[in-house]
Amino acid sequence: MPSEKILSEKQAYVADLREKLQGSVAGVVVDYMGITVADDTKLRKELREAGVDYAVVKNTMMRLAVKDSTLEGMSDALKGATAVAISKEDPIAAARILHKFAEASKGKFSLKTGYMEGRVLSTDELTAIAKLPDYKGMLSMFAGALTGTLSGLAVAMQAYVDKQGEGSAA
């Protein structure tokens, strides 16, 4: 039986992890087995720069943290070496960075599950989300669509004015 001190430390850790999960917009759970220390350091740096918290967690602690919450469905994927990336602001950042890293690692690193806005996501859903453009990319696509529409309207209006000018000159 664990001592009172160890038990209270574990309870505090689970409570802190639960609070992080509930206070975030998205997160991704990965199997990190087989990556080198250098690759892990590079991955952690990239995640940190994107504002994503990344930590290795014990499966038991993670199960306790998601117990009796909307994220309890993630418990089935908590096997083997587990790490979690938690994003407080950008819902796509963690999925995009980890998916790119998983593709480059050729099977040594894989996505297990994730969540967004309190909903548990499958690996396929994570992959689809990871392929979306980031916020700035979406804004530029929207601006391009607006510019294209406005340009077309301007050309049509100019053609109408030119046509009206030809009719009055005749």
Side-chain angles (χ1 to χ4, degrees):
M1 178 121 179
S3 71
E4 279 295 317
K5 181 181 176 192
I6 292 173
L7 188 59
S8 66
E9 287 174 359
K10 287 182 179 184
Q11 289 171 341
Y13 177 80
V14 169
D16 183 50
L17 182 57
R18 180 179 291 127
E19 187 178 309
K20 283 182 182 179
L21 292 169
Q22 291 173 348
S24 64
V25 294
V28 179
V29 178
V30 297
D31 182 352
Y32 66 90
M33 191 56 86
I35 63 172
T36 65
V37 173
D39 287 341
D40 187 50
T41 303
K42 188 167 62 171
L43 175 64
R44 286 175 185 267
K45 181 178 184 271
E46 189 174 351
L47 288 167
R48 194 172 35 253
E49 289 171 353
V52 177
D53 291 333
Y54 178 79
V56 172
V57 294
K58 289 189 174 190
N59 292 324
T60 305
M61 298 297 175
M62 187 71 171
R63 276 191 202 95
L64 290 171
V66 299
K67 187 177 180 181
D68 298 328
S69 74
T70 58
L71 304 177
E72 194 165 9
M74 293 193 317
S75 295
D76 298 336
L78 299 175
K79 296 174 179 77
T82 301
V84 64
I86 302 170
S87 180
K88 293 180 183 176
E89 296 172 9
D90 186 355
I92 301 173
R96 185 176 45 253
I97 293 168
L98 293 170
H99 178 263
K100 181 179 76 172
F101 189 82
E103 283 185 333
S105 72
K106 298 178 181 129
K108 296 177 186 173
F109 184 93
S110 62
L111 305 178
K112 290 183 178 183
T113 186
Y115 66 94
M116 183 178 288
E117 302 289 336
R119 182 177 168 272
V120 177
L121 303 172
S122 68
T123 307
D124 294 336
E125 290 171 316
L126 282 173
T127 302
I129 288 169
K131 292 179 180 179
L132 291 173
D134 63 355
Y135 182 72
K136 289 180 182 177
M138 285 186 188
L139 282 179
S140 66
M141 287 171 59
F142 180 67
L146 283 179
T147 304
T149 303
L150 292 175
S151 297
L153 179 62
V155 168
M157 289 174 71
Q158 186 62 46
Y160 179 77
V161 169
D162 291 345
K163 185 176 181 183
Q164 291 298 321
E166 289 174 6
S168 61

